[in-house]
Amino acid sequence: MRQAASEGRGPVRYGPLAPESGLPVPESLAGVLAAAAGRAPAEPSGGGPVLREAACGYWWRRGLHTHAEDVLAAPGAQPLLFALLAAHEGDVLMPRPCPAWWTPHARLLGRPAYHVPTPAECGGVPDPYALLETVRRVRAEGGRPAVLLLSVADDPTATVAPPELVREACEAAVAEGLHLISDETWRDTLHRPGDTVLLSPAEMCPEDVTVLTDLSGALAPAAWPCAVARFPPAADSPARRARALDVLTALGAHVAAPVAHAAAHALDEPADVAAHAAAGAALHARVASAVHRAVLASGAIARPPQAGRHLYADLGPLRAGLAARGVSDSMDLEDHLSGRLGFAVPGGHRFGDELGALRVRFDTGPLIGATLEERAAALRSAEPLELPHVAEALRAFAAVLEELR
């Protein structure tokens, strides 16, 4: 695994899974899937009209006017991003760090992928000046920068980019002729939705942004793969959508019909599904805050988590204690912490960070319970951190970090 994980030792790196909720499925959503299980007709490539119309409603409620002919659906974000990138010619730019699965897709297409540093306050969106410098350098070396990937609510950093940064980065990208693909999978997992302003790049540059949303972020379990993309109302969008649809068709990337019906129901956001998503986000927010406190207490560094089910930590200040345990880079750190904690702790090299940086992503899912019953109890509890199994998991987590001091 270590060899496969190291950037540059193979065409595609191993990528850890996105943080999963681990929570039970709302009864109405499970019921829709069960009722559709006997349906024989296959869902068409790109998604049927019911699914695409539901996606339209989802985006209209978020201020993005969308029509069914602007939407594509696929069985998960990975094949959908692959199709979106394939619809564009040229090199791909993305922030550093970035989701672990972005870079391999560019590599599978034979496209150069360039990582652009992010500002100190957040991840997911590149520093505008660093972006301009990277574009200049790539062109000077004969490259053709064409696409910028970004995520305003970010995996791995769990931060939300401030609107002014989103505006500056988008304006810089568009001025350089880049098309933007905005991964907004985590936009519905804000930890403090009343206090956090999330601005989609598609609101800033409506003609130049394709939005990607994986329902596993907040609305449906990862075991029911479905993701949707919204193409902008631009003159060349129909051609790009057609090319992406061709790729999905060639891959046989159809959303399973029962999953499509359940996904459409989730995208309609009935009261119980919306309440379940909000409760899940609140639960993971409380656990992430506890993890953040434990990280800071150990002497390590982490930005306060604002979205998602994870925390990105820099254990550089603990380098001496880690070196005494034979840990000198993020691959060693991943192995050490995964072994000590008993669950996967992917190192920063998975997300495009330099190998020598002692950074990791902590996922909150394993801390809310080892069984579905324990996780359901945490979801129902008014004080989930006081449940014995959650409190013990957090105590053990803090103890592992404390021993590194």
Side-chain angles (χ1 to χ4, degrees):
M1 180 182 293
R2 286 174 58 84
Q3 184 171 357
S6 180
E7 190 167 7
R9 298 183 189 176
V12 180
R13 293 183 299 153
Y14 157 77
L17 297 174
E20 296 190 23
S21 74
L23 299 174
V25 179
E27 289 186 7
S28 73
L29 195 57
V32 171
L33 183 78
R39 295 181 62 91
E43 190 78 358
S45 183
V50 173
L51 176 56
R52 289 186 288 116
E53 286 289 352
C56 291
Y58 171 87
W59 279 308
W60 275 76
R61 290 189 293 276
R62 287 155 179 79
L64 297 178
H65 296 176
T66 311
H67 301 91
E69 59 269 22
D70 303 325
V71 176
L72 281 182
Q78 289 82 356
L80 189 50
L81 178 63
F82 185 87
L84 295 178
L85 292 178
H88 293 266
E89 298 292 335
D91 304 343
V92 182
L93 286 76
M94 58 191 73
R96 181 192 300 272
C98 67
W101 54 280
W102 283 6
T103 304
H105 280 71
R107 290 177 173 176
L108 283 170
L109 287 165
R111 308 281 176 80
Y114 299 92
H115 291 89
V116 185
T118 55
E121 65 265 32
C122 70
V125 175
D127 177 88
Y129 297 102
L131 174 63
L132 292 172
E133 175 58 24
T134 302
V135 170
R136 184 202 64 78
R137 175 174 57 83
V138 171
R139 286 182 176 146
E141 295 173 354
R144 295 184 301 146
V147 178
L148 171 65
L149 301 180
L150 42 73
S151 54
V152 287
D154 186 44
D155 170 24
T157 65
T159 58
V160 176
E164 59 272 18
L165 173 64
V166 177
R167 177 182 60 79
E168 292 172 3
C170 290
E171 289 178 350
V174 171
E176 292 298 328
L178 303 181
H179 184 79
L180 289 78
I181 298 177
S182 176
D183 183 353
E184 300 183 9
T185 294
W186 301 101
R187 70 168 297 155
D188 298 318
T189 65
L190 298 183
H191 293 181
R192 298 172 186 83
D195 301 327
T196 305
V197 178
L198 186 149
L199 183 67
S200 170
E203 297 178 68
M204 283 288 183
C205 305
E207 300 290 319
D208 300 288
V209 180
T210 299
V211 177
L212 168 68
T213 298
D214 192 329
L215 272 66
S216 67
L219 296 176
W224 305 358
C226 184
V228 288
R230 174 196 181 270
F231 287 77
D236 57 354
S237 286
R240 286 177 175 169
R241 182 185 181 280
R243 289 197 295 271
L245 179 58
D246 286 343
V247 174
L248 292 175
T249 303
L251 293 174
H254 304 263
V255 181
V259 172
H261 283 267
H265 180 77
L267 286 165
D268 285 338
E269 298 179 289
D272 67 319
V273 171
H276 184 272
L283 169 61
H284 283 280
R286 297 183 72 168
V287 177
S289 292
V291 170
H292 182 242
R293 291 192 294 271
V295 167
L296 297 185
S298 74
I301 302 169
R303 300 183 184 98
Q306 297 175 286
R309 302 185 280 263
H310 50 285
L311 179 87
Y312 201 59
D314 184 349
L315 275 63
L318 308 180
R319 187 176 293 273
L322 288 165
R325 291 164 174 79
V327 175
S328 61
D329 59 31
S330 63
M331 292 174 69
D332 294 334
L333 184 59
E334 175 182 297
D335 291 343
H336 177 79
L337 289 176
S338 296
R340 292 288 293 116
L341 291 171
F343 56 84
V345 182
H349 59 286
R350 309 283 191 186
F351 310 103
D353 257 333
E354 294 186 5
L355 185 62
L358 295 174
R359 300 188 183 110
V360 291
R361 186 188 71 189
F362 292 116
D363 299 354
T364 53
L367 301 173
I368 64 173
T371 66
L372 186 59
E373 291 73 22
E374 287 183 345
R375 296 191 291 270
L379 182 64
R380 294 190 303 266
S381 176
E383 297 294 338
L385 302 190
E386 297 179 6
L387 292 175
H389 68 274
V390 177
E392 174 56 26
L394 289 170
R395 185 206 63 76
F397 175 85
V400 168
L401 292 184
E402 187 64 26
E403 71 185 17
L404 301 177
R405 292 173 66 91

